[in-house]
Amino acid sequence: MEKLKAVDSKKYIALFIILSMCYSMITFIVLQDRIKSQYNLLHQETTKIAKGYSNNLSNAANAKEIISELLEEKLYIASESIATKLNTLESSQLEALADEYRVDDIHIYNPQGVIVKTNVNEYIGWKAFEGHPVYNFMTGNSNSLIEEIRPDTESGVYFKYGYYKLDNGSFVQIGIRAEKIHEFLNDFEIQNLITTLKEINSLEKVLFIDNELRIVNSTDYNLTGVKITNPRIKEIIEKNEESGFIAQNKNDEYYQFYQPINFDGVKIGTLAIYYDTESIRQSSRLIIMNGLVIYLIVLCILGYIVSSFYSKSKRYFDIGFYDKLSNLPNKHYFEEYIKPLLAKSDIQNQALIFINIKNFSAVNISYGYAFGDEVIKKIALNLKNINTVKTTLFRMESDRFLLFVENYTDENEILSLIAQINDVFSTSLDLSNSDYSLTVELGIVKLDEEDLELDRIMKNGAIALKNVKRDTFVNYVFFNKDMEEALIRQNKIERELRKALADPLQEIIYVEFQPQVDIISGKILGFEALARMKSEDLGHVSPMEFIPIAEEKLLIIELGNFVLKKSCEFIKTLNQHNIFNQWVAINISAAQILRSDFVKTILGIIEECDCDKSQIELEITESLLIDNFELVNNQLDRLRRFGIKISLDDFGTGYSSFSMLEETNIDKLKIDRSFINRITEDNLEVSIAEDIISMAHKLGLTVIAEGVESQNQKNYLSEHECDIAQGYYYSKPVSLEKAINMATNN
């Protein structure tokens, strides 16, 4: 700790702090007073504008309502008038009547809903069908009806329709094209009014917000349809009172004013006006610049006096113990800082939070190292400003920080710290308009009397970071002894995997086969190949454990090729027993199918084993298809051209749709076991399984249900015409020899 005493520069900077605080306070008071008076004037001007246009908006709403009522009255009158002449009118006369009443379509229906007379000849003989709006009116109890604007089911053109029914069941339908209505109402549109308001008053933008807090009209068309989520704005609108405030938007500042709009005593929305405050900010900047000149002169004079005594010793100290970019203590400082604390015998309530920025290298690559340096500076500043228990922040590496926490009260205090750290990375750093984001992992190591060696503490921090789950919303982990044991086990599994793939004869990795059965006849149609692991050191290792390790350590491609080779050997053995009509399904990983040589590798292994391609079926997961649809779909198309079948595994766990399946190059669809497990428990899941089977058949796909474990599930799937089943109800995965025996006795 003696080495760090030179870092205490309080006596050198005390004068700087006092002077800067005094002058900053004076500048702040003057500036606030000037800005406040200008904003008061701005508020008065904006209030006057908003109130003036609120009357225009209310009148527009009133006009549109009256015009809509007149249009509906016109449709009623025309429908009723034509209905009185129904028996004597001919189709040739309807064109004249359409011109007379200034309508577009006149259709006369008989009691059966068939058009018998019309001014649009191509509709003669058209009959209303069940579910159609015309059919609903014909079968309803009402004698007249005016519809809202809707598209015509035959032409697709939008109309507003009116109906009138006679005692004998005949009725008339009158239609006015929606485009005429919209043209007529255009002059009363709120959009036109707010556009005029913006142009006349030189405003930044104007919005009209409905009572559901959605922007329905805006001079910035990108905002139309957006719902207000800002709590402050929501509170102002819901209070139904005029109000204004200053808001920052990146590097810009706006004065926002909100005026409620009422019609007949009822609120119909809120008018929002955005006024650019650039002129106010310009005058503020002038004051600041003048004050800054004086401020810098004073600081330079004072700095020259004290710097000669301080600069030489500090220069060497900073090089050794401070990070040049962030001005934070570095790794060497931390080591000197922590050693005396670790030497104490009564360490309590001390912890280290290891902070790792996961994707910082991508920021450097995308935006340049100069931009990355600015990001680090901003992060360092924000982390230093965290307000909590006593903490010391260090920058350990380019993308890693370390926060030392002393004398915390309980774990909740650490959790509060974690939340504040996450806030630093979840909020905008306000550096530019660049579209980037940073994600962070946190590993927490509590210091105790058992582990007070620096190397071990640093290793525990690395282990904690490694145990942060990538697929959850929790980005922090507290170190515990089990993690170290788990890491040791993972390393053993990795070694065993490498040894097994280097020498398959050791049979550490082997393949079992689970039958896929015709759900009606019960006969075996094929098998799914499943990788298994067993070693002398570890015993049986679950696929849920060794397959993720294979993926992380880039061994999954070799493992996939190994399973494919074993499957081809199994097929050849089937053929030797005169079984040529059964297939073997092999799971394919993302690392395999995304390689450019994937198809070549698959075909090479099959040809090397002299195996029939038609007996090979490759299974891909739904998530893999969604994430890389175009690339994966092209690879599947190439494989199918060689006669290889494709199955989509785990369907229903992702977000793919049946419309996507129409474009996907697959032959079979495999329903995820989660749907099968709930067949007898959850009616909703039952209906979903039924719908999946039905829709898959309509797309020409064979349906496989995995995880079938009971007679009830089998009966349900059989009843709903599922094609193939797989699961413990029929057989667990078995060895090659047992699978051959099952196939020959099938």
Side-chain angles (χ1 to χ4, degrees):
M1 196 68 113
E2 287 295 322
K3 292 183 180 180
L4 303 181
K5 286 187 177 179
V7 79
D8 186 8
S9 59
K10 293 180 181 179
K11 62 182 180 180
Y12 296 101
I13 63 174
L15 187 56
F16 285 96
I17 294 175
I18 294 171
L19 291 176
S20 61
M21 288 180 63
C22 291
Y23 189 75
S24 297
M25 183 64 68
I26 295 171
T27 303
F28 177 80
I29 294 172
V30 173
L31 182 62
Q32 284 292 98
D33 185 63
R34 292 282 302 276
I35 293 175
K36 185 176 180 180
S37 63
Q38 294 185 62
Y39 278 121
N40 285 337
L41 291 174
L42 177 61
H43 175 78
Q44 294 171 12
E45 180 182 347
T46 308
T47 302
K48 182 178 179 181
I49 293 171
K51 287 186 175 180
Y53 268 80
S54 66
N55 294 329
N56 292 344
L57 293 174
S58 298
N59 293 336
N62 187 21
K64 289 186 68 173
E65 181 173 320
I66 292 171
I67 290 168
S68 296
E69 291 175 357
L70 290 174
L71 285 172
E72 292 189 3
E73 183 178 350
K74 176 180 178 178
L75 286 175
Y76 270 124
I77 293 171
S79 300
E80 186 176 2
S81 177
I82 293 172
T84 60
K85 307 172 185 178
L86 200 60
N87 296 328
T88 61
L89 285 173
E90 298 297 333
S91 291
S92 60
Q93 298 175 287
L94 293 179
E95 292 185 13
L97 283 174
D99 292 337
E100 178 183 346
Y101 290 108
R102 295 184 181 179
V103 296
D104 295 293
D105 284 6
I106 301 176
H107 304 310
I108 297 175
Y109 294 77
N110 64 18
Q112 289 74 40
V114 177
I115 295 178
V116 294
K117 298 175 186 179
T118 177
N119 67 321
V120 186
N121 292 332
E122 57 262 33
Y123 284 104
I124 288 288
W126 183 85
K127 184 177 181 179
F129 52 85
E130 188 172 351
H132 192 279
V134 174
Y135 183 89
N136 294 338
F137 171 72
M138 179 181 72
T139 58
N141 295 325
S142 178
N143 290 327
S144 61
L145 173 68
I146 297 296
E147 288 185 329
E148 295 298 326
I149 292 174
R150 66 171 177 81
D152 182 72
T153 55
E154 301 300 313
S155 66
V157 177
Y158 280 77
F159 281 82
K160 187 176 185 69
Y161 284 116
Y163 302 87
Y164 192 84
K165 188 185 297 182
L166 298 181
D167 293 338
N168 63 358
S170 299
F171 57 96
V172 62
Q173 178 188 26
I174 305 295
I176 300 177
R177 287 178 180 264
E179 61 189 37
K180 290 184 177 180
I181 298 172
H182 291 313
E183 289 174 0
F184 189 63
L185 293 175
N186 188 53
D187 291 338
F188 299 95
E189 287 295 336
I190 292 176
Q191 182 63 47
N192 292 338
L193 292 173
I194 65 172
T195 300
T196 303
L197 169 61
K198 175 181 181 295
E199 294 172 351
I200 293 176
N201 297 282
S202 300
L203 302 174
E204 182 65 24
K205 59 186 171 186
V206 184
L207 315 175
F208 185 78
I209 305 165
D210 65 15
N211 291 335
E212 301 299 323
L213 299 179
R214 192 173 299 280
I215 299 172
V216 293
N217 299 97
S218 171
T219 55
D220 182 353
Y221 296 105
N222 293 327
L223 297 177
T224 302
V226 175
K227 189 161 186 177
I228 300 297
T229 57
N230 186 300
R232 184 177 185 182
I233 297 176
K234 288 172 64 178
E235 182 181 0
I236 289 174
I237 293 175
E238 289 168 354
K239 282 185 176 180
N240 201 24
E241 298 175 354
E242 61 182 47
S243 181
F245 64 91
I246 298 296
Q248 293 283 346
N249 182 15
K250 296 184 179 178
N251 295 327
D252 298 323
E253 182 183 85
Y254 297 100
Y255 179 70
Q256 300 181 17
F257 187 81
Y258 295 86
Q259 172 72 42
I261 306 300
N262 299 296
F263 172 56
D264 283 348
V266 178
K267 181 181 177 183
I268 61 172
T270 302
L271 177 65
I273 294 176
Y274 286 62
Y275 202 112
D276 191 354
T277 61
E278 177 61 25
S279 60
I280 297 175
R281 285 182 284 144
Q282 285 181 354
S283 63
S284 301
R285 282 194 292 268
L286 182 60
I287 296 173
I288 293 173
M289 289 178 64
N290 292 335
L292 184 61
V293 171
I294 300 174
Y295 181 76
L296 291 175
I297 292 173
V298 173
L299 289 184
C300 288
I301 295 172
L302 183 61
Y304 178 78
I305 296 173
V306 298
S307 62
S308 58
F309 298 98
Y310 176 72
S311 59
K312 186 175 181 179
S313 59
K314 186 178 186 303
R315 186 182 307 116
Y316 292 111
F317 179 83
D318 288 348
I319 291 173
F321 290 99
Y322 274 84
D323 173 58
K324 182 178 180 181
L325 180 63
S326 65
N327 291 325
L328 290 176
N330 60 17
K331 182 178 180 180
H332 302 296
Y333 190 114
F334 168 72
E335 292 173 353
E336 295 296 329
Y337 183 87
I338 198 72
K339 283 177 183 177
L341 298 176
L342 297 179
K344 296 179 180 179
S345 59
D346 59 343
I347 285 186
Q348 291 182 351
N349 297 341
Q350 318 282 327
L352 293 171
I353 301 179
F354 292 79
I355 304 170
N356 177 43
I357 307 173
K358 287 172 56 179
N359 59 336
F360 182 69
S361 60
V363 173
N364 278 334
I365 293 171
S366 300
Y367 302 102
Y369 285 89
F371 182 83
D373 289 347
E374 293 301 316
V375 170
I376 288 295
K377 290 178 183 179
K378 190 68 174 179
I379 289 172
L381 178 63
N382 292 347
L383 289 175
K384 283 168 61 177
N385 289 334
I386 290 176
N387 183 23
T388 181
V389 294
K390 184 180 179 183
T391 58
T392 306
L393 181 65
F394 305 87
R395 188 185 182 204
M396 307 299 284
E397 298 175 22
S398 62
D399 56 358
R400 291 200 174 188
F401 294 84
L402 179 62
L403 193 66
F404 179 57
V405 186
E406 300 183 61
N407 302 321
Y408 64 88
T409 305
D410 53 29
E411 190 169 294
N412 288 331
E413 205 159 11
I414 295 180
L415 293 176
S416 175
L417 252 179
I418 291 170
Q420 293 181 66
I421 293 171
N422 283 330
D423 286 342
V424 169
F425 289 91
S426 64
T427 56
S428 171
L429 296 177
D430 197 24
L431 292 174
S432 71
N433 293 324
S434 302
D435 183 17
Y436 72 94
S437 61
L438 296 174
T439 53
V440 65
E441 297 173 328
L442 306 175
I444 301 93
V445 177
K446 296 180 179 179
L447 304 186
D448 56 45
E449 296 178 3
E450 296 181 12
D451 296 319
L452 294 181
E453 294 181 4
L454 180 59
D455 288 344
R456 186 169 185 83
I457 290 171
M458 300 304 289
K459 185 186 76 170
N460 292 347
I463 292 174
L465 286 174
K466 183 177 177 60
N467 278 271
V468 176
K469 300 297 183 183
R470 268 57 169 182
D471 55 351
T472 67
F473 293 106
V474 179
N475 67 333
Y476 64 88
V477 164
F478 285 84
F479 172 80
N480 59 57
K481 300 293 184 183
D482 293 340
M483 291 179 185
E484 187 173 11
E485 295 174 3
L487 182 62
I488 294 171
R489 177 173 172 82
Q490 289 174 13
N491 292 334
K492 288 183 179 179
I493 293 173
E494 180 188 353
R495 288 197 299 270
E496 293 293 290
L497 277 171
R498 293 188 183 279
K499 184 167 62 174
L501 295 172
D503 183 10
L505 294 179
Q506 296 189 56
E507 295 187 346
I508 296 173
I509 298 293
Y510 60 96
V511 178
E512 291 186 338
F513 301 89
Q514 187 172 31
Q516 294 181 337
V517 177
D518 184 291
I519 204 162
I520 301 301
S521 66
K523 290 188 173 296
I524 296 174
L525 301 178
F527 295 85
E528 180 179 3
L530 300 166
R532 296 292 185 261
M533 181 177 180
K534 181 182 179 182
S535 72
E536 293 183 5
D537 185 19
L538 300 171
H540 284 284
V541 180
S542 167
M544 301 296 291
E545 188 175 10
F546 74 79
I547 288 180
I549 294 174
E551 291 176 338
E552 180 183 352
K553 303 301 180 181
L554 306 180
L555 299 172
I556 194 66
I557 294 176
E558 293 181 63
L559 179 60
N561 293 340
F562 171 82
V563 174
L564 178 57
K565 289 177 183 178
K566 290 296 182 182
S567 299
C568 290
E569 293 173 6
F570 176 62
I571 290 173
K572 289 192 69 175
T573 307
L574 286 175
N575 295 162
Q576 292 169 3
H577 288 79
N578 295 320
I579 300 173
F580 299 95
N581 59 348
Q582 294 187 6
W583 64 76
V584 175
I586 304 104
N587 290 285
I588 299 298
S589 70
Q592 289 175 276
I593 200 169
L594 296 178
R595 287 175 61 95
S596 59
D597 62 349
F598 168 67
V599 174
K600 180 180 178 181
T601 301
I602 294 294
L603 296 176
I605 293 174
I606 296 173
E607 291 170 1
E608 178 186 343
C609 297
D610 190 24
C611 185
D612 187 351
K613 298 182 185 67
S614 66
Q615 291 181 269
I616 296 291
E617 180 179 303
L618 301 181
E619 289 189 3
I620 64 167
T621 62
E622 184 183 15
S623 59
L624 172 59
L625 176 65
I626 296 171
D627 294 339
N628 308 275
F629 180 77
E630 185 173 352
L631 173 60
V632 173
N633 205 31
N634 289 337
Q635 298 278 54
L636 300 182
D637 180 51
R638 294 174 61 191
L639 290 168
R640 292 180 77 201
R641 293 181 184 181
F642 288 99
I644 296 173
K645 298 292 187 296
I646 306 296
S647 175
L648 182 61
D649 195 10
D650 298 335
F651 183 79
T653 60
Y655 297 94
S656 61
S657 63
F658 283 104
S659 61
M660 179 186 290
L661 293 184
E662 288 186 282
E663 303 175 17
T664 307
N665 294 306
I666 59 174
D667 303 282
K668 300 178 181 179
L669 186 148
K670 203 168 187 181
I671 304 175
D672 185 68
R673 67 176 65 246
S674 61
F675 293 103
I676 307 304
N677 290 341
R678 301 178 184 176
I679 278 179
T680 58
E681 302 172 7
D682 190 331
N683 291 330
L684 178 59
E685 297 295 334
V686 169
S687 64
I688 290 175
E690 176 185 350
D691 291 341
I692 291 174
I693 295 169
S694 174
M695 291 298 294
H697 283 163
K698 289 179 181 179
L699 295 175
L701 301 176
T702 301
V703 181
I704 306 175
E706 64 176 342
V708 180
E709 298 182 355
S710 69
Q711 180 70 39
N712 286 339
Q713 293 171 344
K714 184 261 184 186
N715 292 343
Y716 173 85
L717 294 167
S718 176
E719 177 185 347
H720 292 92
E721 301 181 351
C722 182
D723 303 298
I724 302 170
Q726 174 184 347
Y728 277 29
Y729 177 76
Y730 297 97
S731 171
K732 65 180 182 179
V734 297
S735 65
L736 183 146
E737 294 77 14
K738 289 184 179 180
I740 294 294
N741 185 51
M742 294 173 71
T744 54
N745 295 325
N746 186 30

